[in-house]
Structure formats: structure tokens, C-alpha cells
Amino acid sequence: GESVGLHLPTLSVQEGDNSIINCAYSNSASDYFIWYKQESGKGPQFIIDIRSNMDKRQGQRVTVLLNKTVKHLSLQIAATQPGDSAVYFCAEKRGGGADGLTFGKGTHLIIQP
Amino acid sequence: DAGVTQSPTHLIKTRGQQVTLRCSPKSGHDTVSWYQQALGQGPQFIFQYYEEEERQRGNFPDRFSGHQFPNYSSELNVNALLLGDSALYLCASSLGDLRTEAFFGQGTRLTVV
């Protein structure tokens, strides 16, 4: 099975509320994690990344939390807006070398008006 | 500053044919990675090119090959197309090691009939 996965395939939130998208990974050797947003018909768009020597990183309206003890990653989006509707992927990069990113299946975030 | 550009945007091929997809990386980037994204799935790593050589490869058959040119642009070639090769093919560029922000293009939608 895949080492990167998401707990929920679809997440529906009210506009203005905060969203939390979760991700589990199984390879403790992974040292770099990225969240991507993909809108219909477009390529993945970088949101935020975090390295394994950190447990939290904040961007504009987004926060990524990394819990290495339970191999869990989450993306928090503050004050969700209609433009946040998309599929969100977490991705990991394993170990050294030039490994590509390993993506999970994605979570579809739906914003209710 | 142009981002990652891919061509063509859409392509229809017949089973058994060969196809070439093209990618121009973001200005300043020297590393190109290719991904295959089936409908409803996360992207799957095909291979990565750096300094005109394939540096790492995912779990894809030899029918998938690539090339990187001195100007860092890249091509993905797929021979003996199968119906299962129908997917969105994404190119991502980065600077050096992929533990830096990777930018994706819009992708090429390949349909094999």
C-alpha cells in the first residue's frame, strides 16, 4: 500500500470556518513534506512545506503541523474561502538521493456558502 | 517570469503508438521530474532529470523514457501506448535536490484510444 495517505477523501466546511486536512505517512525516513492544492484541470500548486526537524510552520492563512511520533501531518486553513475549494495532496520525500515525491490520494475540500 | 510550461495540453493517441511530451522548467531551475496522474489519484513519480541524465526512476516500465536538454527543458517519451497510459502527465521543476519547492506545470492530458 501507499505510505502516504489521507484520512478523509472529502471534507465539507462552511465558508469562514477553519479547515483541517490530515495525512498519515509510514516511512520514518521521510524528511521533507509538502502540501499541494490542485484545482480542476490544473497542475498541483505548492502551498507549504516542512522539514522533519520542525513540527510547525506557518504561511499566509495556512499552518502545517508535523507529528513524527505518530507519523501524522496536517494542513490547517484559516477562514476558509470559496477559492480554497480544491483537492489537497500531501507528499513526502524519502531519505537521501533524488527520490521523487510520493503523493497520497488527496482530500477534496468543499466550501459551503 | 514564466512558470513551468508543458505542451501539448491535450493529446489523443491510438494504442500501440508513441508519444512525446515536452516541458520547459521555471526560469532558474535545473531539475525536471515527471509524474503520471490517473483520474482521482495522486501523481505517481516516473523519473527525474538533472544535468541531462536520469537521476532517479519510479516504478514505471522501460516504455517510459526521457531526455533533458542543455537548456534544462525535458521530454517524456512513451512507446507502445496502452489504454492504461491515459492520464494527466505532469512536469515539475526545482533547483537541485527536490527538497526545495517544486513547481508543477498544468500537465498534458493524454488519452489513448
Side-chain angles (χ1 to χ4, degrees):
Chain A
E2 294 183 354
S3 68
V4 178
L6 299 172
H7 295 312
L8 295 172
T10 302
L11 177 65
S12 182
V13 299
Q14 292 292 125
E15 182 178 349
D17 286 353
N18 296 335
S19 302
I20 300 177
I21 301 172
N22 295 303
C23 176
Y25 67 96
S26 60
N27 191 332
S28 58
S30 293
D31 60 358
Y32 181 56
F33 304 88
I34 310 175
W35 281 100
Y36 283 95
K37 170 187 180 183
Q38 188 173 26
E39 296 173 285
S40 182
K42 297 185 178 181
Q45 176 187 354
F46 176 93
I47 301 174
I48 192 167
D49 60 359
I50 189 168
R51 301 182 191 281
S52 58
N53 61 351
M54 304 171 68
D55 54 19
K56 181 179 180 179
R57 192 163 187 223
Q58 289 184 292
Q60 187 177 9
R61 280 202 308 121
V62 295
T63 300
V64 55
L65 299 178
L66 175 63
N67 186 330
K68 293 181 287 293
T69 302
V70 295
K71 298 189 185 70
H72 184 267
L73 192 69
S74 68
L75 176 70
Q76 299 177 5
I77 305 174
T80 311
Q81 303 169 359
D84 295 328
S85 290
V87 177
Y88 289 80
F89 293 97
C90 65
E92 66 174 316
K93 182 170 172 61
R94 297 189 174 106
D99 289 350
L101 296 169
T102 297
F103 284 79
K105 287 187 172 62
T107 292
H108 186 194
L109 179 63
I110 298 172
I111 311 304
Q112 305 280 5
Chain B
D1 177 27
V4 180
T5 58
Q6 292 186 243
S7 64
T9 55
H10 294 83
L11 200 55
I12 299 175
K13 287 287 189 177
T14 303
R15 191 171 40 182
Q17 284 188 315
Q18 178 265 344
V19 69
T20 297
L21 310 181
R22 296 176 176 80
C23 172
S24 292
K26 180 178 169 61
S27 178
H29 284 183
D30 58 6
T31 302
V32 172
S33 299
W34 287 92
Y35 291 80
Q36 179 194 67
Q37 186 176 24
L39 201 61
Q41 302 291 319
Q44 299 288 313
F45 175 68
I46 301 175
F47 42 52
Q48 183 183 93
Y49 276 84
Y50 174 71
E51 292 188 340
E52 302 180 51
E53 290 190 0
E54 182 182 297
R55 186 159 68 170
Q56 191 68 21
R57 189 178 186 92
N59 189 26
F60 278 81
D62 292 344
R63 297 187 298 110
F64 290 77
S65 63
H67 189 77
Q68 186 179 34
F69 299 95
N71 66 352
Y72 307 122
S73 67
S74 178
E75 289 181 348
L76 165 65
N77 301 292
V78 186
N79 294 321
L81 284 166
L82 304 174
L83 297 179
D85 294 332
S86 295
L88 180 68
Y89 288 85
L90 295 161
C91 170
S93 76
S94 60
L95 181 61
D97 190 311
L98 201 54
R99 280 182 199 73
T100 58
E101 188 173 334
F103 291 84
F104 281 82
Q106 299 281 63
T108 294
R109 173 68 63 186
L110 173 65
T111 302
V112 183
V113 298

